[in-house]
Amino acid sequence: MEAHKQLTIGLFGFGVVGEGLYKVLQQTPSLKASIKKVCIKNPEKKRNAPADLFTTNKNDLLNDPEINVIVEVIDDSAAAFDIVQNALRNGKSVVSASKKMIAENLPAILQLQEETGQSFLCESAACASIPVIRNLEEYYDNDLLHSIKAIVNGSTNFILTKMFEDKLSFSEALLLAQQLGFAESNPKLDVEGFDALNKWTILLNHAYGIVAHPDDILFTGIQNVQGSDAGVAKEKSYDIKLIAQAKKLKNGKVAAFVLPQFVELTDPLSFVKNEYNGVVIESGFADKQFFYGKGAGSFPTASAVLSDIAALRYNYRYEYKKLYHHKPHVLTNDYYLKVYLSFDDWKYIPREEFEWIEEWHAQAERKYLIGVLHCEKLVQSNWWKTNNTSLILTPDPIIDNLDIIHLKKRSLELAGVV
Ligand code: HSE
């Protein structure tokens, strides 16, 4: 049997995740992995590690032949991409936590792995401590993966929990998420859904072989969710969560988005509170499976980085089976969504865009409706993100084209229209 590889690490970044990894590695001597150098941006900052470990020159790491693994956990996605390219081309394996960088450069990163034959692992880039990427890669066959529904951003889940259960204000909850090291340095990335979108782009690749750009996917964050929405959710026995979802339609194409959603209190994702993440996978024969764990924070994220480092001892690589060994799936916006919308004035709502409206409540200061519209109507415009309008999907929101006529007829019958 091949002896385990000795791993000599060059680490980029010593923030929440980098320092976490440094500490975690000190507690796992059996791993036979040691950090030789850490590249940082600001040499003045006081750090809890020997000064001679640090450098500001990236080439001290990238050109050191003894370093065979580059771990990159920095915040700047352009710099991160540059490091990844150089490291792979210099014959080093890479472990990365930079979800934005990976999502925005997916085709190039796939190409680089093909060209160089090096491993590029990124388990920590989606759902931190939950081993979701390796599970999607190794366990779920293409044909059997019907849908995935997940909470992939810890900060927004933390904020929603603190606002609606502990009655904190939005800004108090956000500040706490920042203090605890969950939020991105630009928290807009969390709050407005960009971080979840980047993670979803990565997971769609490992789940379905889809190579999408974040710009191709319908999304928003929790910035428009109102206190009154939580009131409606409570009346209907729902929770509000920021949900990333993908589902194979009857024509074999995949519907995917990141949007706030009502979830039933019996849904496993309703159980996911604070900075925890959760993933519900529905697959043929197995029915539903639920993965749960911390989705942000220093040690949970470092634990996923550590697991990738450990996997490199065995020269583990993603095979991207869904992309290269199967017919990859294609994304589509050709389906319908059942949505809840709350708004200040009817004039902001293009009622003609709806196939049908099932409920409308126009008396109160804050009005709302529940209706069905084609996904393209949301993709093509942003009226639903502006003028303080809040869109939240209903619990089982995706309606296949093949079912729409039947459902519309039934809904109109129920309303006594036909
Ligand atoms: N800001 C991210 C989150 C950190 O809140 O999920 C973990 O990726």
Side-chain angles (χ1 to χ4, degrees):
M1 212 168 83
E2 193 191 348
H4 299 169
K5 234 162 93 175
Q6 175 71 41
L7 303 175
T8 306
I9 298 168
L11 172 63
F12 282 86
F14 206 73
V16 173
V17 183
E19 188 174 353
L21 178 68
Y22 175 73
K23 289 184 186 153
V24 164
L25 268 174
Q26 283 177 324
Q27 290 170 38
T28 43
S30 60
L31 195 62
K32 286 218 219 132
S34 57
I35 297 178
K36 185 171 176 191
K37 270 280 172 233
V38 183
C39 185
I40 41 147
K41 211 161 61 181
N42 177 4
E44 309 305 329
K45 215 158 145 187
K46 188 152 171 28
R47 294 185 167 88
N48 296 321
D52 62 356
L53 196 61
F54 296 98
T55 174
T56 51
N57 182 355
K58 63 181 181 180
N59 293 325
D60 288 350
L61 282 63
L62 292 169
N63 295 338
D64 182 339
E66 213 177 84
I67 289 178
N68 52 5
V69 180
I70 292 294
V71 175
E72 171 284 300
V73 289
I74 64 172
D75 208 21
D76 173 340
S77 58
F81 185 49
D82 183 60
I83 291 162
V84 168
Q85 293 184 79
N86 280 305
L88 292 172
R89 292 207 172 109
N90 285 0
K92 301 180 194 309
S93 305
V94 173
V95 176
S96 168
S98 299
K99 48 249 162 140
K100 184 169 186 289
M101 178 278 287
I102 303 168
E104 286 174 352
N105 296 286
L106 203 49
I109 291 173
L110 290 166
Q111 172 79 28
L112 274 163
Q113 289 169 81
E114 285 282 282
E115 259 169 51
T116 62
Q118 295 298 325
S119 302
F120 172 85
L121 304 181
C122 58
E123 190 62 69
S124 60
C127 299
S129 72
I130 309 177
V132 63
I133 293 184
R134 246 185 280 169
N135 268 298
L136 289 170
E137 271 290 320
E138 305 302 334
Y139 188 83
Y140 294 96
D141 186 80
N142 220 24
D143 295 333
L144 297 179
L145 194 65
H146 296 329
S147 71
I148 326 177
K149 191 172 150 188
I151 292 170
V152 296
N153 180 269
S155 300
T156 44
N157 203 54
F158 181 88
I159 293 169
L160 290 172
T161 308
K162 292 291 173 225
M163 279 172 69
F164 298 143
E165 292 189 14
D166 302 346
K167 307 292 171 215
L168 259 57
S169 70
F170 176 86
S171 44
E172 284 166 340
L174 172 60
L175 186 65
L176 206 51
Q178 288 176 302
Q179 285 166 346
L180 291 166
F182 306 149
E184 298 300 299
S185 45
N186 174 3
K188 182 180 149 158
L189 294 176
D190 295 301
V191 172
E192 298 189 11
F194 295 97
D195 180 72
L197 175 68
N198 291 331
K199 290 166 175 167
W200 208 229
T201 307
I202 298 170
L203 290 180
L204 286 173
N205 180 237
H206 292 281
Y208 290 108
I210 291 168
V211 184
H213 190 276
D215 292 347
D216 301 335
I217 300 169
L218 176 67
F219 84 105
T220 193
I222 61 165
Q223 67 275 26
N224 292 335
V225 174
Q226 313 277 318
S228 64
D229 299 336
V232 175
K234 200 159 178 221
E235 257 170 45
K236 294 181 182 287
S237 297
Y238 295 148
D239 259 333
I240 301 173
K241 299 285 185 189
L242 182 63
I243 300 283
Q245 191 164 358
K247 185 177 177 184
K248 226 180 328 176
L249 301 176
K250 288 180 180 163
N251 63 10
K253 294 185 179 171
V254 173
F257 47 78
V258 176
L259 293 167
Q261 189 170 141
F262 287 139
V263 295
E264 309 259 11
L265 299 181
T266 50
D267 188 316
L269 294 180
S270 152
F271 171 78
V272 178
K273 312 273 186 204
N274 294 315
E275 79 275 25
Y276 279 82
N277 284 183
V279 184
V280 176
I281 293 181
E282 214 170 324
S283 73
F285 312 118
D287 201 355
K288 282 187 186 157
Q289 291 154 310
F290 176 43
F291 299 78
Y292 171 73
K294 285 197 169 160
S298 178
F299 286 160
T301 313
S303 86
V305 174
L306 188 74
S307 170
D308 280 348
I309 294 171
L312 288 175
R313 287 187 307 174
Y314 307 95
N315 297 312
Y316 177 72
R317 303 182 52 185
Y318 301 141
E319 284 179 63
Y320 299 96
K321 295 188 195 72
K322 320 289 174 75
L323 177 60
Y324 298 131
H325 302 182
H326 292 263
K327 192 168 176 289
H329 285 290
V330 178
L331 274 185
T332 182
N333 291 325
D334 189 13
Y335 59 94
Y336 294 84
L337 285 168
K338 190 163 175 181
V339 307
Y340 156 98
L341 275 172
S342 75
F343 44 92
D344 292 336
D345 197 307
W346 277 107
K347 70 179 182 214
Y348 300 129
I349 307 300
R351 271 176 279 185
E352 67 288 354
E353 306 271 287
F354 285 81
E355 293 302 309
W356 73 88
I357 293 177
E358 273 182 22
E359 269 187 49
W360 53 94
H361 301 259
Q363 297 81 12
E365 186 104 326
R366 185 80 185 164
K367 303 157 191 12
Y368 77 84
L369 65 79
I370 292 176
V372 172
L373 79 182
H374 195 271
C375 174
E376 276 293 347
K377 305 271 185 198
L378 299 177
V379 173
Q380 304 281 341
S381 60
N382 71 348
W383 56 265
W384 55 279
K385 287 190 188 185
T386 52
N387 293 315
N388 212 21
T389 300
S390 161
L391 178 139
I392 301 177
L393 295 179
T394 58
D396 197 6
I398 299 173
I399 303 176
D400 215 289
N401 285 350
L402 293 173
D403 299 327
I404 191 81
I405 292 175
H406 164 71
L407 281 176
K408 182 170 185 173
K409 189 159 166 276
R410 209 175 64 190
S411 162
L412 292 177
E413 274 165 11
L414 282 174
V417 178
V418 289

